[in-house]
Amino acid sequence: MDRIRQVQVFIQVMESGNFTRAAEALSIPRSTVSTTIQALEDRLEAQLLQRTTRQVVPTHDGLQFLEAAQTLVDAFEAAESIFRQRPQQAEGRLHVDIPSRIGRRIIIPALPEFLKQNPRVKLEFSMNDRIINMLTEGVDCVIRVGHLPDSELVCKKLGEIEVINCASPIYLAQRGTPISLDDMGGHILVNYAVNLPALAAEWEYVEDGRQRVMKMQSAITVDNAEAYVASAKAGMGIIQVPKFDVQDDLESGALVQILEAYKAPSLPISLLYPSRRNLPLRLRVFQSWVTELLSKHGVWGNG
């Protein structure tokens, strides 16, 4: 196998997270991937990967080589493209991790059109609200809602999401509909926390242009968006939730919007991916597509 091909196989292993997925993406036997990486390491006289039964993790030498390898392959592909007679088409495996409600309500239903436009892209989706390790879990990019901790990942903001206050008619019939902040003492929240055990429930709102927080009581704490909305519909408290996420419930009357003058600040929605100067075309195409898709579902300020 020529040297460029060895480098391409190495990059695919890094993107896929293990030899099996890399072999599937390249349409070659897993044994070929293994022997190619071994030959590359022998030629460089350096160990590039730490191998386990389920995943591969780059060594320090491997991380250094990855950046140079990507530059080399990109330059090679750019040179080849001069002589291509047809436009470049996105292809290969793309593993995306998304929040469950966004996946179920927005992204998954729209995927047939994406795949029609990009028939050579093979998609893998996982759905989490938690922070994940992209390298060890073989994920190419993640979509997350909210303010994110600093990391070495590239964070591309896709837009802002309106957050509203709502509760079920059952809950409001039992406790009354709050009109002002003074009424909140007699109410409870459904508490949301990515990690349990959770901190005390808090009501977030904006007043006079400043973000404020009010401590509240709660009867239930949940760690994912599906349970959060379901708890509100069951009458267990007030929630603060992206409007697009409960639009159907508002229209059907399963939930009622309240306290419109005291909404929480809007939340950023972002696409994150490992820091790298040149992104695969399949990832660039997905980013453009999902940005346009979200703009049709109440996400504003894209870019």
Side-chain angles (χ1 to χ4, degrees):
M1 187 173 286
D2 63 67
R3 294 185 177 186
I4 288 293
R5 187 55 172 166
Q6 286 180 345
V7 173
Q8 290 173 324
V9 171
F10 170 72
I11 292 173
Q12 187 61 60
V13 170
M14 292 293 292
E15 292 179 349
S16 300
N18 61 46
F19 285 3
T20 299
R21 287 176 175 168
E24 292 173 352
L26 295 168
S27 299
I28 60 177
R30 185 188 183 285
S31 59
T32 301
V33 174
S34 181
T35 56
T36 300
I37 296 300
Q38 184 63 60
L40 177 62
E41 291 178 324
D42 290 344
R43 181 162 60 82
L44 297 176
E45 297 183 352
Q47 183 177 359
L48 303 177
L49 302 169
Q50 295 281 1
R51 301 155 174 82
T52 69
T53 56
R54 291 193 173 185
Q55 65 187 39
V56 292
V57 178
T59 63
H60 178 70
D61 288 340
L63 289 173
Q64 286 189 312
F65 183 69
L66 177 61
E67 183 175 357
Q70 187 65 56
T71 300
L72 173 65
V73 169
D74 289 340
F76 178 76
E77 291 180 349
E80 276 193 331
S81 69
I82 297 173
F83 302 99
R84 290 180 182 146
Q85 298 302 309
R86 61 182 178 83
Q88 188 178 10
Q89 188 175 27
E91 61 181 355
R93 166 192 167 275
L94 184 67
H95 185 162
V96 184
D97 189 272
I98 52 181
S100 58
R101 296 281 289 186
I102 291 177
R104 183 174 65 82
R105 294 178 58 83
I106 296 179
I107 295 180
I108 299 297
L111 282 181
E113 183 61 30
F114 176 84
L115 293 173
K116 182 179 179 180
Q117 297 170 3
N118 302 278
R120 298 173 68 180
V121 174
K122 305 300 181 184
L123 289 173
E124 293 181 4
F125 275 91
S126 51
M127 296 190 188
N128 288 289
D129 295 333
R130 62 180 175 84
I131 299 297
I132 64 169
N133 187 314
M134 295 180 63
L135 179 60
T136 60
E137 298 189 36
V139 175
D140 297 295
C141 63
V142 301
I143 293 175
R144 289 294 180 265
V145 175
H147 299 283
L148 303 167
D150 292 335
S151 74
E152 295 181 355
L153 298 176
V154 175
C155 181
K156 173 65 175 178
K157 185 178 177 181
L158 301 177
E160 294 276 338
I161 297 175
E162 180 185 5
V163 179
I164 65 169
N165 310 312
C166 54
S168 71
I170 298 172
Y171 173 88
L172 297 175
Q174 292 174 342
R175 292 180 175 262
T177 300
I179 305 299
S180 69
L181 293 177
D182 293 336
D183 299 330
M184 293 303 291
H187 288 271
I188 60 174
L189 302 183
V190 177
N191 197 12
Y192 178 87
V194 174
N195 297 307
L196 299 175
L199 299 175
E202 293 182 338
W203 174 272
E204 297 181 9
Y205 63 99
V206 176
E207 186 178 46
D208 298 328
R210 296 182 60 185
Q211 182 175 344
R212 301 181 185 277
V213 175
M214 178 188 300
K215 297 289 185 182
M216 295 282 294
Q217 297 295 315
S218 64
I220 183 173
T221 299
V222 298
D223 67 352
N224 68 77
E226 295 284 353
Y228 189 55
V229 174
S231 297
K233 291 167 69 174
M236 290 187 280
I238 300 170
I239 58 173
Q240 298 185 292
V241 65
K243 186 174 183 179
F244 76 82
D245 207 4
V246 292
Q247 187 64 49
D248 292 346
D249 294 318
L250 295 173
E251 293 174 0
S252 70
L255 291 173
V256 178
Q257 185 173 352
I258 60 175
L259 289 170
E260 295 186 42
Y262 298 98
K263 295 188 294 187
S266 62
L267 291 174
I269 180 168
S270 307
L271 181 77
L272 295 92
Y273 47 84
S275 178
R276 193 170 67 203
R277 192 163 57 88
N278 297 291
L279 293 178
L281 178 58
R282 58 186 177 274
L283 179 50
R284 299 200 305 270
V285 167
F286 177 79
Q287 176 180 305
S288 176
W289 174 80
V290 80
T291 300
E292 182 179 355
L293 175 65
L294 290 172
S295 70
K296 299 175 182 177
H297 288 269
V299 176
W300 73 89
N302 303 71

